[in-house]
Amino acid sequence: MPINRQVRLKSRPSGIPQAEHFELAEAPVPELGDKQFLVRNEFLSVEPAMRGWVSAVANYSTPVAIGEVMRSFSAGTVVKSRHPGFAEGDQVMGMLGWQDYAVSDGSNITRKLKEADLPLSLSLGVLGLNGVTAYFGLLDLGLPKPGDTVVVSTAAGSVGSAVGQIAKLMGCRTVGITGGATKVALCNDAFGYDAAIDYKAGDLDAALKAACPRGVDVYFDNTAGAISDTVIQQIATGARIVICGTASIASWDPWPLGPRVERHILVKRARMSGLLIFDYAHRYEEAVGRLAQWIRDGKLQYREDIVDGIEHAPGAIAELYRGENLGKRLIRLKA
């Protein structure tokens, strides 16, 4: 019988989880019960949101328990089934965890994949949580109009890069904020931003004013912190601010305090909205269908940063927060 390699939460981090907070373990591949099926995972996803999933601080989901397999989206193939809705050979994506094999009754499956002409790995990136987040966050909450200036933080990341390109497809002017010359070049050359700003290079306020002379109509915020403080000072009348992530905040215990934004929101009659993609689960297929067609038409570019072997998983979240990836970080499992 094959062995099921797993990555389990070993201890509770107080900030960004590091490799030492996880442990590699082995377990037997479980037997199937009635109306269950077995998935052989081929790709494991690494998300910024995982920091919140393992935190003891109040979050939108129950924290991963100590000793439990790390919660994650994974994609793979059904290799055995006693479920009428899932057959051997079906490719699926869902919350299957950092492990080789996962048993499911279908409740933790996000979708059965239909895009046989596109790589399976995309179901965890531009056709998965990241692309769908960009799609609904920008279109439903950002409400972009032709001619709007859309500013995106972590603009070269797997969510940000999709936001920038979708905004361009909507007829907007796009300005990306990222860190380092390599990522600035990626924003300009691969993702087609009208302007890209390196927040590490100097005066972000001056650079943003030069790139957005009429102010910021839509701000897609993946960072919070000092970057967002600077952007919000330059919002235009009627601006829409989408809060997707807080990557720059290392810990929410104690709760960090910063500049007050209320006056900017009031005077500019702006709107700030929080975004959790799980609220859009009932519309997932709508987004994936449109995103997939844009990829086929060459209108939506993506980058993947794939490492081989489950042994890379424990340190992967910390690497993500250090900005070491260029593209969607995935872990490919060895057969």
Side-chain angles (χ1 to χ4, degrees):
M1 290 292 293
I3 294 295
N4 189 19
R5 298 170 300 170
Q6 301 175 327
V7 178
R8 300 174 184 170
L9 185 64
K10 182 180 179 181
S11 60
R12 184 78 59 197
S14 60
I16 296 171
Q18 307 293 319
E20 59 263 28
H21 294 112
F22 300 94
E23 62 181 353
L24 291 168
E26 293 184 348
V29 175
E31 295 294 326
L32 294 182
D34 186 41
K35 295 184 179 179
Q36 290 185 330
F37 56 96
L38 181 67
V39 179
R40 173 67 167 92
N41 287 329
E42 298 175 44
F43 291 94
L44 311 179
S45 186
V46 185
E47 314 287 352
M50 287 175 158
R51 182 183 67 176
W53 298 350
V54 299
S55 173
V57 178
N59 204 291
Y60 56 84
S61 61
T62 304
V64 177
I66 302 298
E68 190 173 78
V69 174
M70 179 59 197
R71 182 184 303 150
S72 83
F73 286 96
S74 307
T77 302
V78 176
V79 293
K80 189 183 296 186
S81 180
R82 296 182 61 188
H83 192 295
F86 294 86
E88 292 183 18
D90 284 347
Q91 290 188 318
V92 296
M93 183 275 279
M95 199 70 83
L96 299 170
W98 273 356
Q99 56 185 339
D100 285 323
Y101 292 91
V103 169
S104 176
D105 60 3
S107 61
N108 57 349
I109 298 299
T110 304
R111 61 189 300 262
K112 189 187 297 185
L113 305 183
K114 306 170 184 176
E115 299 76 32
D117 58 320
L118 298 173
L120 173 64
S121 59
L122 298 192
S123 68
L124 296 176
V126 70
L127 297 183
L129 182 70
N130 307 120
V132 174
T133 296
Y135 181 91
F136 287 120
L138 179 66
L139 298 183
D140 274 40
L141 300 181
L143 301 173
K145 303 184 295 292
D148 277 352
T149 294
V150 177
V151 172
V152 186
S153 57
T154 64
S158 49
V159 173
S161 61
V163 172
Q165 293 179 85
I166 296 170
K168 287 291 289 183
L169 290 170
M170 298 299 110
C172 300
R173 172 178 168 75
T174 56
V175 178
I177 302 174
T178 190
T182 299
K183 291 185 178 180
V184 166
L186 198 59
C187 286
N188 288 324
D189 301 337
F191 304 133
Y193 281 91
D194 293 292
I197 299 170
D198 180 1
Y199 72 89
K200 298 178 179 179
D203 191 339
L204 175 59
D205 183 69
L208 195 62
K209 285 177 180 174
C212 309
R214 294 184 290 105
V216 178
D217 298 298
V218 180
Y219 175 43
F220 199 100
D221 181 10
N222 288 304
T223 60
I227 290 174
S228 296
D229 295 338
T230 303
V231 177
I232 289 172
Q233 292 178 44
Q234 300 189 31
I235 57 173
T237 300
R240 286 82 68 201
I241 301 164
V242 182
I243 309 297
C244 180
T246 58
S248 73
I249 309 300
S251 176
W252 291 92
D253 186 17
W255 200 274
L257 300 178
R260 309 306 314 183
V261 302
E262 293 88 347
R263 192 67 181 173
H264 293 293
I265 302 297
L266 170 64
V267 173
K268 297 297 179 65
R269 284 87 78 200
R271 188 184 71 190
M272 180 181 286
S273 305
L275 168 65
L276 287 182
I277 197 56
F278 302 109
D279 295 339
Y280 292 89
H282 62 293
R283 294 175 59 194
Y284 212 98
E285 293 300 324
E286 168 198 334
V288 173
R290 201 169 181 192
L291 291 164
Q293 194 57 52
W294 281 333
I295 291 172
R296 294 184 185 105
D297 294 341
K299 296 178 179 179
L300 184 60
Q301 305 300 315
Y302 61 89
R303 292 293 185 275
E304 296 178 312
D305 191 329
I306 300 175
V307 294
D308 288 305
I310 198 170
E311 64 273 11
H312 291 285
I317 303 171
E319 291 168 357
L320 202 66
Y321 275 89
R322 291 196 298 267
E324 296 179 11
N325 59 301
L326 287 175
K328 169 65 184 177
R329 173 56 63 91
L330 298 168
I331 298 164
R332 180 165 44 206
L333 298 182
K334 302 170 185 174

